[in-house]
Amino acid sequence: MSQAAHTITLPALSEMKKRGEKIAVLTAYDASFARVLDGNGVDIILVGDSLGMVIQGHGSTLPVTLDHMTYHCANVARVTRRAMVMADMPFMSFSSPERALDGAGRLMQEGGAHIVKIEGGGAFLPVVETLASHGIPVCAHLGLLPQSVHKLGGYRVQGKDELTARVMQEDALAMQDAGADLLLLECVPATLGTAISQALRIPVIGIGAGPGCDAQVLVLHDILGLTPGKPPKFSYNFLDGKGGVAQAIAAYVHAVKSGDYPGRDHSY
Ligand code: KIV
């Protein structure tokens, strides 16, 4: 696919961190939403494997494959002009440096990604080193790792005690030293989010990691109030009280059933 020139580069993000300018990140999985995000100042569009839940209807990110990620990433990258496009490497696609190289290569060549994200701590340092040495930008993802949900026993806050917080701080520095360009921290205490952001040279993206991170990310469907069930504490429905997507659909159904739509204005 053709690679659109984008204006939010790694050096641009690094300058934003130095200036203390917050970086806005949101997920998208298709061209229509990618256009809206790109045209409204979102700096990084994350094609997250959260698509397993919000697009495919699964209960976790585990069923998402490299084919799925490549397809959705290509749909987003095709229309994105300004933002950096980040693609998640799905479960088991980076189980060795060789597999990771193949997968990341595909996400960049076929999917048009500018950077890939991998979930995991110290065990994945060789993967980060290999990708970085091949010129592939990497975002390391620490804290709550949704791909490890069965190992963790649920979606819980991580790094709450001194030992796990220290290990996460060490992993964060080691990821930076191994060549990671960005770090994402999910569901950690705000104090830990701030400490890691201040200790690192590279920009740190938080989700449920407090206001002290350099950047914030949320899942698009959460901020549009489309996710069923109780939202996570860190999430925020930015459409609440403004007439949301669900209200628009209910209004359409009502208008069709009542005969109010279509009217003359909508007819040839
Ligand atoms: O897949 C995703 O959307 C993510 C965010 C939750 C950070 O990784």
Side-chain angles (χ1 to χ4, degrees):
M1 71 167 295
S2 69
Q3 304 276 317
H6 65 116
T7 53
I8 302 294
T9 57
L10 288 172
L13 293 174
S14 174
E15 283 306 313
M16 287 166 86
K17 172 165 177 138
K18 281 188 203 138
R19 285 199 300 273
E21 180 183 337
K22 296 284 185 184
I23 299 163
V25 188
L26 263 182
T27 67
Y29 320 92
D30 66 46
S32 298
F33 275 118
R35 258 194 218 98
V36 177
L37 269 52
D38 195 45
N40 286 281
V42 171
D43 300 304
I44 303 174
I45 300 179
L46 169 62
V47 186
D49 60 356
S50 50
L51 71 83
M53 278 101 119
V54 301
I55 302 293
Q56 298 174 332
H58 294 297
S60 78
T61 59
L62 301 191
V64 178
T65 67
L66 198 60
D67 282 348
H68 300 153
M69 289 306 306
T70 307
Y71 171 78
H72 286 280
C73 192
N75 292 340
V76 166
R78 200 170 291 130
V79 299
T80 300
R81 298 288 173 265
R82 173 184 175 274
M84 174 176 286
V85 176
M86 185 191 307
D88 259 334
M89 299 216 49
F91 182 57
M92 291 308 285
S93 68
F94 51 96
S95 54
S96 70
E98 294 71 28
R99 265 177 80 91
L101 260 188
D102 287 348
R106 234 189 116 193
L107 286 170
M108 294 183 82
Q109 284 191 306
E110 290 174 44
H114 304 125
I115 181 165
V116 297
K117 175 161 82 61
I118 64 155
E119 285 184 19
F124 295 97
L125 288 169
V127 169
V128 174
E129 269 164 12
T130 302
L131 294 178
S133 68
H134 285 75
I136 297 178
V138 185
C139 175
H141 180 153
L142 298 176
L144 171 59
L145 308 175
Q147 291 174 10
S148 306
V149 60
H150 298 309
K151 185 85 178 163
L152 297 172
Y155 298 101
R156 302 164 199 282
V157 181
Q158 303 294 307
K160 286 209 296 195
D161 58 79
E162 217 177 290
L163 177 65
T164 55
R166 198 175 61 241
V167 170
M168 208 184 297
Q169 277 173 309
E170 288 167 2
D171 278 352
L173 282 167
M175 286 291 179
Q176 174 177 271
D177 292 346
D181 302 281
L182 301 173
L183 178 79
L184 188 144
L185 280 182
E186 179 162 355
C187 265
V188 302
T191 46
L192 184 56
T194 302
I196 293 180
S197 302
Q198 288 176 354
L200 262 54
R201 184 180 67 244
I202 59 175
V204 175
I205 306 169
I207 175 163
C213 298
D214 307 302
Q216 296 294 330
V217 61
L218 283 177
V219 170
L220 178 65
H221 293 58
D222 288 349
I223 74 158
L224 299 181
L226 290 175
T227 309
K230 188 171 176 273
K233 182 179 178 199
F234 60 74
S235 186
Y236 188 80
N237 178 356
F238 282 83
L239 266 187
D240 205 15
K242 298 186 182 70
V245 175
Q247 284 99 314
I249 293 175
Y252 165 74
V253 170
H254 180 76
V256 169
K257 297 211 181 266
S258 65
D260 287 348
Y261 178 88
R264 283 190 174 196
D265 290 352
H266 313 110
S267 307
Y268 296 104

